[in-house]
Amino acid sequence: MAMKRAVLFGATGLVGRALLQHLLEDDAYGKVIAVVRNELPFTHPRLQTVVIDFRQLGDCRQFLEGADIFCCLGTTMKKAGSREAFRTVDYQYPLEIARLAKEEGASQFLIITAIGANSRSVFFYNRVKGELEEALRELALPSLHMFHPSLLLGTRQEQRRSEELSAKLSHSLSFLWIGPLRAYQPVTATNVAGAMHHIASLGLAGAHAYESRELPQLARSGKKDELTFIRIG
């Protein structure tokens, strides 16, 4: 059986770090390529680190053919500094990666967007995520998987005080996550990464979206018939 190849964008982020660990522990992948801005602080026999300027994404084109592409890129308005800069990281880069993936015949494209992604949202963040999803669907990728996590829990390399406070409040108000509000319950980065890895292992064709409340189950699941997902096209 031929070994698979994974290409991961965003390997230094909260979900990306967890996903990189999943991929390196999976013997189905003969090589895991992490496309990053700076060298990673560790090595692995099956890990290849490719350092690029993200304004020149075409430099990674050669690695995409037949690969499973994982996109965990994302920033915040505070870190980006402007709406334009935010849109570059959260819309322009992922869409360009997806275009390259299709052109080069990548096997699958899996990406994190956000709960509430909607191109008509009054909230800029959700609107950008929704516009990205619409653009991705228009590409007609052979295998597209979009993950909609709520507030992410985990230890980040950089501090995000607003998210830390939200996480603490969420824990203390855990009794609220019932009924319709359960969809917005925070999810750990480990569960998001596990869900992405598991879905990739199934090789499902078409376009699919996975809601935040489903991700813990997907991370635990090892059987296709236990999955619940939304088929978009």
Side-chain angles (χ1 to χ4, degrees), residues 4-174:
K4 297 195 296 180
R5 184 170 71 258
V7 181
L8 171 61
F9 295 83
T12 60
L14 186 59
V15 176
R17 295 199 312 272
L19 181 55
L20 180 58
Q21 186 70 28
H22 277 286
L23 297 174
L24 291 175
E25 291 176 353
D26 186 348
D27 292 337
Y29 289 102
K31 179 174 288 187
V32 178
I33 299 171
V35 182
V36 293
R37 293 182 178 87
N38 301 291
E39 288 285 351
L40 294 176
F42 64 91
T43 61
H44 186 279
R46 288 187 287 111
L47 174 64
Q48 179 180 351
T49 302
V50 176
V51 179
I52 68 166
D53 180 342
F54 273 65
R55 293 171 296 182
Q56 303 294 331
L57 281 166
D59 291 346
C60 67
R61 180 187 291 271
Q62 60 184 303
F63 305 108
L64 305 182
E65 182 180 0
D68 289 348
I69 312 298
F70 299 86
C71 185
C72 299
L73 295 179
T75 188
T76 62
M77 280 295 297
K78 181 179 180 180
K79 188 174 181 179
S82 69
R83 287 192 170 195
E84 181 181 359
F86 175 86
R87 190 176 180 84
T88 295
V89 175
D90 280 61
Y91 178 90
Q92 182 179 319
Y93 290 166
L95 184 56
E96 180 61 20
I97 293 167
R99 285 172 177 157
L100 291 169
K102 183 176 181 181
E103 290 174 5
E104 297 303 317
S107 178
Q108 303 185 81
F109 187 82
L110 302 93
I111 184 170
I112 301 171
T113 61
I115 192 170
N118 187 328
S119 63
R120 293 172 293 281
S121 176
V122 297
F123 300 106
F124 176 73
Y125 179 88
N126 288 353
R127 187 164 68 250
V128 170
K129 297 295 188 180
E131 290 172 354
L132 172 60
E133 290 199 354
E134 288 187 358
L136 290 173
R137 288 194 290 270
E138 289 175 3
L139 282 179
L141 293 155
S143 180
L144 170 64
H145 304 276
M146 297 172 289
F147 297 79
H148 298 163
S150 183
L151 176 68
L152 289 170
L153 302 179
T155 304
R156 295 185 184 274
Q157 292 180 326
E158 81 280 6
Q159 283 191 327
R160 294 186 181 178
R161 296 189 182 281
S162 61
E163 289 189 359
E164 290 175 0
L165 177 59
S166 296
K168 290 178 181 178
L169 287 174
S170 171
H171 181 72
S172 63
L173 299 175
S174 58

Side-chain angles (χ1 to χ4, degrees), residues 108 133 137 140-148 199 202-211 213-214 218 224 227-233:
Q108 303 185 81
E133 290 199 354
R137 288 194 290 270
L141 293 155
S143 180
L144 170 64
H145 304 276
M146 297 172 289
F147 297 79
H148 298 163
I199 290 298
L202 302 178
L204 300 172
H208 307 270
Y210 308 88
E211 299 307 317
R213 65 180 179 273
E214 300 175 287
L218 291 174
K224 186 175 180 180
L227 299 180
T228 56
F229 58 83
I230 301 172
R231 176 150 182 141
I232 301 178

